Amino acid sequence: MGNFGAKNLSTSLFHCTLWKSDTSPACRAVMMGLDAMNVSLTEIDIDMDKAEHRAPDLIAMNPHQTLPILKDGEFILCDSHAINTYIASRYCDCEKLLPTNPAGRAIVDQLLHYNSGILYPHYRSCAYPILYENCRFVMPQQAQEVEHAYRKLETMLKGRSWFSGANMTLGDIAIMATISTLHVLVPVDKDKFPVLLSWMFRMSKEPFYTTGNLKGLNEFTKRIDTGNGFDSKDNKKCPRSSLTRRSTGAKLAET
């Protein structure tokens, strides 16, 4: 799993801690990145429905009151894109996931910026009214804007297997975390966007998709369907390691 040119088959960074919520696509992007790189660190699940992300110790690390949060010694990062590229740059030799040549790295950075600046705001505008404001559907204007983004992604993929070109990169992983979540809210039409849907299918067959994305995506789907908080007993079993999450198929072993 995740053998994308890393120096070691598995790297344990137990001096690093990740605070995250599985329902968040940003957190799942980091989890998929970790699994693609076969990097393990300590993970702590945070229940955002219970406002645990607003605890004083987390606010001290991240005044934005968002997840994920990575702490490596005294160094703290609070953005999923920065976390993935930091882990890849510092602890892995992942030339395919994060090219070291300037042109390849610039393409990945461009995709990460597109995800954070365009796709993720679409996710928030569609999901947050349902999650936090008792809205029961995606507004037509928002759905049209999401489909416009799908159309751009369809064009970006024409003639290539991955958004980055010949190889899948952290840019693909970040976009997949967001698009798989948007797909729950505004389904990707197979007739309008066949190339995008084919890419999503290929991504879904990667082992890191199952271990890093699927569980949280299913929880998010249940939350959208019910409009209520998802009461996960798994939150009571943290902290745990990424290695444990992967070895149990993203399900926690009883402790």
Side-chain angles (χ1 to χ4, degrees):
M1 179 197 303
N3 188 12
F4 288 92
K7 290 179 180 177
N8 302 310
L9 292 178
S10 181
T11 302
S12 296
L13 307 176
F14 295 117
H15 57 286
C16 294
T17 301
L18 179 74
W19 288 264
K20 51 89 173 177
S21 170
D22 288 359
T23 57
S24 162
C27 295
R28 285 185 267 116
V30 173
M31 294 161 66
M32 284 195 286
L34 291 171
D35 292 356
M37 293 181 281
N38 261 334
V39 170
S40 184
L41 42 71
T42 300
E43 297 182 0
I44 299 179
D45 291 291
I46 299 298
D47 191 336
M48 299 184 74
D49 291 327
K50 296 179 180 178
E52 291 179 357
H53 60 299
R54 297 195 177 105
D57 57 333
L58 294 188
I59 293 177
M61 289 189 289
N62 180 16
H64 300 299
Q65 302 178 36
T66 58
L67 296 173
I69 301 171
L70 174 75
K71 186 174 184 182
D72 181 359
E74 297 303 314
F75 180 66
I76 296 171
L77 282 174
C78 306
D79 175 86
S80 61
H81 309 88
I83 290 171
N84 269 348
T85 56
Y86 170 75
I87 293 292
S89 298
R90 179 165 185 179
Y91 294 111
C92 295
D93 181 12
C94 305
E95 178 64 28
K96 290 184 178 179
L97 285 175
L98 186 65
T100 55
N101 69 84
R105 175 61 188 262
I107 291 295
V108 174
D109 288 342
Q110 179 175 263
L111 293 170
L112 297 179
H113 286 303
Y114 183 78
N115 184 65
S116 65
I118 303 296
L119 297 180
Y120 208 83
H122 283 321
Y123 153 73
R124 295 185 67 168
S125 66
C126 291
Y128 279 30
I130 298 174
L131 296 175
Y132 306 116
E133 299 173 14
N134 295 319
C135 181
R136 296 304 306 130
F137 55 88
V138 176
M139 299 297 290
Q141 180 61 35
Q142 294 168 334
Q144 290 177 9
E145 292 175 356
V146 170
E147 289 215 332
H148 183 64
Y150 290 165
R151 191 169 298 108
K152 287 185 177 180
L153 293 172
E154 181 85 358
T155 302
M156 291 164 64
L157 277 170
K158 288 289 177 64
R160 57 179 61 190
S161 298
W162 310 103
F163 281 106
S164 308
N167 298 312
M168 175 176 50
T169 67
L170 292 176
D172 291 273
I173 289 175
I175 290 175
M176 186 58 183
T178 307
I179 288 297
S180 63
T181 311
L182 275 173
H183 181 57
V184 174
L185 300 158
V186 183
V188 178
D189 190 299
K190 65 179 181 179
D191 295 319
K192 293 180 181 178
F193 314 110
V195 178
L196 177 59
L197 204 61
S198 176
W199 169 83
M200 291 175 64
F201 178 78
R202 291 196 304 277
M203 289 292 291
S204 72
K205 295 303 179 183
E206 295 290 339
F208 61 74
Y209 178 90
T210 299
T211 59
N213 195 59
L214 191 57
K215 174 179 174 289
L217 184 62
N218 288 338
E219 291 178 6
F220 173 82
T221 302
K222 291 178 183 178
R223 173 75 187 277
I224 289 296
D225 289 342
T226 63
N228 299 315
F230 186 85
D231 185 15
S232 174
K233 295 180 180 179
D234 286 352
N235 286 335
K236 300 178 181 179
K237 299 178 181 179
C238 61
R240 66 177 191 249
S241 73
S242 310
L243 186 61
T244 302
R245 168 169 55 77
R246 293 197 292 270
S247 66
T248 58
K251 296 181 180 179
L252 285 173
E254 293 294 334
T255 57

